[in-house]
Amino acid sequence: MRSDNVKKGVSRLPHRSLFKALGFTNQDLEKPLIGVVNSYNTIIPGHMFLNNIVNAVKEGILAAGGVPQEFSTIGICDGIAMNHEGMKYSLASRELIADSIESVAMAHGFDGIVLVPNCDKIIPGMIMGALRLNIPAIVISGGPMLAGRYKDKSIDLSNCFEAVGGYSTGKYSDIDLIEIENEACPTCGSCAGMFTANSMNCLSEAIGIALPGNGTIPAVYSKRIRLAKEAGVKILELVKKQIKPRDIINLDSICNALAVDMAVGCSTNTILHLTAIAKEAKVEFSLELVNEISKKTPNLCRLSPAGPNHIEDLYFAGGIQAVMNELLKAGLLNGNTTTCTGLNVRENIKDSEIVDKQIIRTVENPYSYDGGLAVLWGNLAPEGCIVKKSAVDASMLKHKGQAVVFDSEEEAMQAILSKKIKKGNVLIIRYEGPKGGPGMREMLSPTSAIAGAGLDKDVALITDGRFSGATRGASIGHVSPEAQEKGPIAIVKNNDLIEIDIPNNSINIIISQEELAQRFESFKVPDLKIKHGYLYRYAKMVSSASKGAVLE
């Protein structure tokens, strides 16, 4: 066992004494030592009951003959961090999470590790840390929130953000806002739509490092506790068989995750995270692969914000396993990849069928015959950019409009709420990339204000920042190279004509090569916005979004 390095032999007498200070018995010292990573805190609704999940995991580990040792990592609630300086820290926290897991696990010689996240950057950060360690690992999340109700319709957090824009146009009264505020987030859990947290929890199933059901069993269901106990038992099997994260996560399983991503219409952030996960798995990954899989994978689900349904509806319709079986039967999934169950994908999903074909459509009757995400290239984004096309109105799939340029999210938000944005405009928000932000903020507030004002079918938004999974409309992010790295987005001017062609994967400024070159000649890169602390170090070291915005 790996933990023998801290437990066995005369030279480890001091170490054993410290373990005994923790209450270890001689029998405990003979058993596998399993780290349990708990991202519990009291500030994230998705994490407030994670201690219940962790306790169930530890019960499973003990029952299976292991010794659980719990430690913590940080977490940030993207919803609370949204639309102010705090959002600069969200993506940057992913690296701290991976680093902290690597540090604690390496220092204490764990034989295996159970990862207990729920929201946003915490899930990919934990998976990245596990891949870096490459010791047996399994993910068990806290589960999704149930949807709320408002005027006999299901609502979620995205409705709150959109209500801000709706209020400015008179769509909602003060009383309406209070009711939406009180009802949109009714339980603990990761916010109820196919936003980033739920996207990554679902993809952790698809990629094989989480048990079936991880992405969709509601947070408040006792079935989630039972799944956590099963994860605690299963980690001991993985240790015994020495099935490690890099045995599970490889090019084939990443392609499976991308296929599910396209089928269910996940957040654009998944591409950023899968790119980073691929790097830690030592897998060659390109944005071209995203479009290759998108073009052949039908979009089967339209969950919030792309449609009226929520994760609980996906759960009752058969969950991610039913989606995967539908793709497998169509030859769009590799059924032979290894998973944390000890079985391959085909064995895991053989009995999973679609229960409700209104929630999960068949490949013969999809919402579209290609996937929910697309990568665009052109002279505005030579290294690519991402759009959630399943959440774009058909009328905006091809769009040409005049640029209205802002150098920060705050400037853009003020213009939107002041009703300075007109139909047909293309908003450009730059210097919000990994370096320029720094931290690549999510633009949920601007996109929601646009949608709330009824302009999401008329206005496009392009940024070197990124978008929340709760974003809908023609919202194009991750523009690479970013403005701070002298990307073409830095030299766009007001009233430049921008042409967006999502079906043909292109995005361009309609100016000549000569004009483009002349603008670059006179362009000077501005100083970094922040020159101290963690964000300064992050900005100095972070890669392009096209490479996953990882530290180099």
Side-chain angles (χ1 to χ4, degrees), residues 49 75 78-79 122 161 167 182 190 271 292 428 550:
F49 290 157
D78 277 19
I122 304 158
F161 281 96
Y167 181 73
N182 287 337
S190 46
I271 304 305
E292 179 186 323
I428 305 287
V550 295

Side-chain angles (χ1 to χ4, degrees), residues 195-250:
F195 311 148
T196 304
N198 289 326
S199 294
M200 289 307 301
N201 280 326
C202 288
L203 294 191
S204 66
E205 276 190 59
I207 212 167
I209 201 166
L211 295 174
N214 181 70
T216 59
I217 297 171
V220 294
Y221 282 19
S222 297
K223 191 175 182 180
R224 172 74 49 185
I225 299 294
R226 299 199 298 272
L227 190 72
K229 288 183 183 178
E230 187 180 346
V233 171
K234 192 62 66 174
I235 190 63
L236 272 299
E237 290 183 27
L238 296 177
V239 169
K240 183 177 180 179
K241 296 177 181 177
Q242 280 300 288
I243 298 174
K244 300 175 183 177
R246 288 185 216 155
D247 299 320
I248 293 169
I249 299 178
N250 49 43

